[in-house]
Amino acid sequence: MDMAVLARLNHLRLNRRPVVEVINLTSGVSTLVTAQDDLRDEVGLAAMSAMAGGVSVTETINSEAYVFNVHRPPTRLIIIGAVHISQALAPMAATVGMDVSIVDPRNAFATDERFPGAKIFAMWPDEAFEQVSPDADTAIVAITHDPKIDDPAIEVALDRGCFYVGALGSKRTHGSRLTRLKDKGYSEQVLERIRAPIGLDIGARQPAEIAVAILAELIAYRQSAVRSLEHVRQS
């Protein structure tokens, strides 16, 4: 690999920027494709599809073979609220490869004993986000049921373009939440990104069941990006 390409690749990875190294096996030339590149050719769209899927692939395009090496940061899951649902969700999310953080200013709940292996931030969300910065590969799940804690986290998730923003609560609770956020200037289009009531509708009642519903919805949202890009390539 060209040293300039390698240096840029390392810089992008260090800054949690998803990137695909595209190697033309005929010429041996490597190029880098990021999410910010506006590529409409077949090779570019194939790179973006590989990036969305998170899996490196080999494809033949116009009689030439290409390797698409995907480098993207692990999905970051920030759970707002050290509650019973979180205790079930955190280890399940870690099992499927997510980088899990727990944020809750109530330090009696946000403890290593209750969340072994997770990153614990026993502080308010705005303080935590100075140390763990949400980005497009981040999902934020707000489940404290306390607007003083949940709302600021949801605002950051919307502002930073997190791929999944979910919040616990009934339709009535969510209606009140939407009113508060509208009063702060958020448009209806932006607020439609919030998944509430949170999780897939599988009839979940117990904390562990709700955790399953949340994780399933997270995975579905991740995979929907793949289907969208495949549709673009085939159209």
Side-chain angles (χ1 to χ4, degrees):
M1 182 190 299
D2 180 87
M3 292 303 296
V5 174
L6 178 60
R8 183 169 179 241
L9 175 61
N10 288 337
H11 174 77
L12 291 167
R13 294 179 65 185
L14 182 64
N15 289 278
R16 283 184 57 86
R17 293 274 303 280
V19 58
V20 179
E21 178 194 3
V22 181
I23 306 172
N24 184 316
L25 294 180
T26 301
S27 66
V29 173
S30 295
T31 56
L32 300 180
V33 175
T34 72
Q36 285 68 44
D37 294 327
D38 185 16
L39 301 176
R40 306 301 299 179
D41 64 288
E42 196 168 354
V43 174
L45 289 174
M48 297 301 288
S49 179
M51 180 187 297
V55 178
S56 299
V57 295
T58 301
E59 289 192 33
T60 299
I61 300 173
N62 297 327
S63 301
E64 292 192 310
Y66 293 86
V67 174
F68 299 90
N69 283 333
V70 178
H71 303 270
R72 67 177 307 155
T75 298
R76 177 182 281 157
L77 172 60
I78 302 177
I79 304 174
I80 310 300
V83 297
H84 292 308
I85 296 171
S86 312
Q87 286 183 283
L89 177 58
M92 286 193 294
T95 298
V96 298
M98 295 185 183
D99 182 2
V100 181
S101 297
I102 306 293
V103 176
D104 196 320
R106 302 169 297 185
N107 54 21
F109 299 137
T111 65
D112 291 330
E113 291 74 21
R114 299 184 74 225
F115 297 95
K119 298 181 179 70
I120 308 295
F121 296 90
M123 58 188 70
W124 292 91
D126 59 337
E127 298 173 315
F129 292 155
E130 293 178 3
Q131 300 183 41
V132 53
S133 181
D135 55 28
D137 284 289
T138 300
I140 289 186
V141 171
I143 52 178
T144 70
H145 247 317
D146 184 342
K148 296 192 303 296
I149 303 174
D150 287 346
D151 283 9
I154 292 171
E155 291 175 34
V156 170
L158 295 174
D159 294 342
R160 302 282 183 88
C162 295
F163 80 89
Y164 178 88
V165 186
L168 190 67
S170 65
K171 291 182 179 179
R172 180 176 179 180
T173 298
H174 186 51
S176 299
R177 178 186 297 122
L178 293 178
T179 298
R180 293 192 300 271
L181 293 172
K182 286 178 182 176
D183 289 343
K184 291 195 171 185
Y186 288 93
S187 68
E188 289 189 11
Q189 183 178 6
V190 170
L191 295 177
E192 286 176 356
R193 294 181 48 218
I194 304 173
R195 302 302 303 165
I198 197 170
L200 295 182
D201 185 5
I202 58 173
R205 293 291 181 269
Q206 301 301 319
E209 295 174 340
I210 297 171
V212 169
I214 294 170
L215 185 59
E217 191 169 60
L218 282 175
I219 294 171
Y221 260 64
R222 261 297 187 222
Q223 293 304 314
S224 68
V226 178
R227 293 192 293 271
S228 296
L229 282 165
E230 287 298 330
H231 176 73
V232 171
R233 291 182 64 196
Q234 295 168 10
S235 61

